[in-house]
Amino acid sequence: MFHLRKTLATLLLCGAATLVQAGETAICYNCPPEWADWGTQLKAIADTTGVQVPLDNKNSGQALAQLVAEKAAPVADVVYYGVTFGLQAQKAEVVGTYKPKGWEQIPAGLKDPEGHWFAIHSGTLGIMVNVDALGGLPVPQSWADLLKPEYKGMVGYLDPSSAFVGYVSAVAINQAMGGNLDNFAPAIDYFKKLAKNSPIVPKQTAYARVLSGELPILVDYDFNAYRARYKDKANVAFVIPKEGSISVPYVMSIVDNAPHRANAEKVLDFVLSEQGQALWAKAYLRPVRAMKMPADVAAQFLPDSDYARAGVVNYEQMAAAQEAFSARYLSEVK
């Protein structure tokens, strides 16, 4: 009887511990550890708030699709995605409202007034190159260079019909080639030409593949390239193409009817806190709150003259054009 009671007591304790552990969890869709150094951010969230956030390797499009599929019975608590997907999530009514601490410090154009989404940081698109994997070829300096036959099989870009960075690539290339958000013909034409060069088109971040040299050239953000060069000590170069590029924000939302609402709020408070924003800066992302980049980090960015080639676009218009562009890309390019 004693052993039975002891066993029952142990089971009850284990059950209580599991409940406590479950209560200290927040599920984030699209928080990949290798992307934007989310790995460091999630560890800091756990250490500071006690909330554990499991790693998740979805991309923006997959995260939104999952939220829509689970609308009646949400699984996720928070979601991270490119700004156009934040706007689409709001339209699909799968996100709730929350204004985290520091809300007033987010510029007006980088948050939904009611709190359906808000920017946490931004990045600038360009060309990330593993110099050692080029086999002696020069580092490409332009979008046009990627079409050259000598780079056949060496160029990668994320799927524009699914990943936000892929869609950003399409918008940037389109603008650089003379198109606009009402006319994506230049981008479609470019991707058709690039298809002849046997590009690699993954759906998820391909950071590790660039570091290994398997994928020598990737259309990606500055923050991933700088992290590869200065933290992972890879011989990686970053180029803002001569024809131009764009900078875009990444945003977060609380999921409507989030299962762990209180924990979700702690996560969102942290990523916008001074500590969280400083961690984004150390990962070479531009924090959304006005704060000075650490001097040693700022010194590792390309010169301002290079960044002058990167502009911004109307993100609402960019979001409105996304679905039609994706359909066109899938039918004409893929």
Side-chain angles (χ1 to χ4, degrees), residues 47-326:
D47 291 345
T48 306
T49 71
V51 175
Q52 301 287 333
V53 182
L55 308 178
D56 185 85
N57 278 315
K58 293 179 184 66
N59 63 32
S60 294
Q62 292 165 339
L64 177 57
Q66 195 81 9
L67 291 179
V68 171
E70 296 165 353
K71 187 173 181 178
V75 174
D77 299 296
V78 296
V79 57
Y80 164 83
Y81 33 27
V83 62
T84 61
F85 284 95
L87 287 158
Q88 288 183 32
Q90 180 182 358
K91 190 176 178 182
E93 298 182 343
V94 292
V95 290
T97 59
Y98 181 62
K99 297 180 180 180
K101 294 172 185 173
W103 168 265
E104 66 286 346
Q105 295 187 38
I106 304 172
L110 297 176
K111 60 188 175 186
D112 167 58
E114 295 177 3
H116 287 97
W117 55 266
F118 59 91
I120 57 171
H121 56 226
S122 62
T124 297
L125 191 84
I127 305 170
M128 177 179 176
V129 184
N130 183 325
V131 180
D132 295 337
L134 288 181
L137 289 171
V139 172
Q141 298 296 311
S142 65
W143 296 120
D145 283 349
L146 301 186
L147 302 176
K148 293 179 178 177
E150 53 261 44
Y151 296 114
K152 188 168 186 175
M154 302 176 80
V155 178
Y157 64 93
L158 267 68
D159 184 348
S161 68
S162 180
F164 180 66
V165 62
Y167 181 49
V168 172
S169 304
V171 173
I173 290 166
N174 193 57
Q175 301 274 124
M177 300 298 163
N180 57 51
L181 293 169
D182 293 318
N183 173 25
F184 273 94
I188 295 295
D189 183 56
Y190 180 88
F191 284 122
K192 284 180 179 176
K193 289 176 182 174
L194 188 57
K196 296 173 184 174
N197 235 8
S198 304
I200 299 165
V201 190
K203 287 188 181 293
Q204 273 87 17
T205 176
Y207 182 84
R209 295 170 73 177
V210 178
L211 260 60
S212 70
E214 177 198 347
L215 182 49
I217 303 166
L218 179 67
V219 178
D220 204 350
Y221 292 112
D222 51 354
F223 53 82
N224 282 330
Y226 297 147
R227 178 184 166 212
R229 182 176 181 87
Y230 298 111
K231 287 194 174 179
D232 289 326
K233 308 300 180 187
N235 187 13
V236 165
F238 180 69
V239 176
I240 297 175
K242 287 179 181 177
E243 304 97 331
S245 187
I246 63 172
S247 298
V248 292
Y250 273 74
V251 308
M252 290 192 77
S253 305
I254 197 161
V255 175
D256 193 31
N257 295 316
H260 310 100
R261 171 86 192 198
N263 291 339
E265 292 180 2
K266 289 178 184 176
V267 170
L268 297 177
D269 285 347
F270 185 87
V271 297
L272 205 59
S273 69
E274 285 190 15
Q275 185 182 350
Q277 291 283 288
L279 285 174
W280 295 129
K282 287 176 184 174
Y284 304 100
L285 294 125
R286 296 194 184 272
V288 72
R289 286 178 58 176
M291 62 183 297
K292 195 166 182 174
M293 295 282 275
D296 58 332
V297 172
Q300 294 169 339
F301 275 65
L302 290 177
D304 289 344
S305 55
D306 284 28
Y307 276 95
R309 296 196 293 275
V312 295
V313 296
N314 181 316
Y315 302 120
E316 287 193 19
Q317 193 180 352
M318 183 176 166
Q322 187 167 6
E323 191 175 334
F325 168 79
S326 296

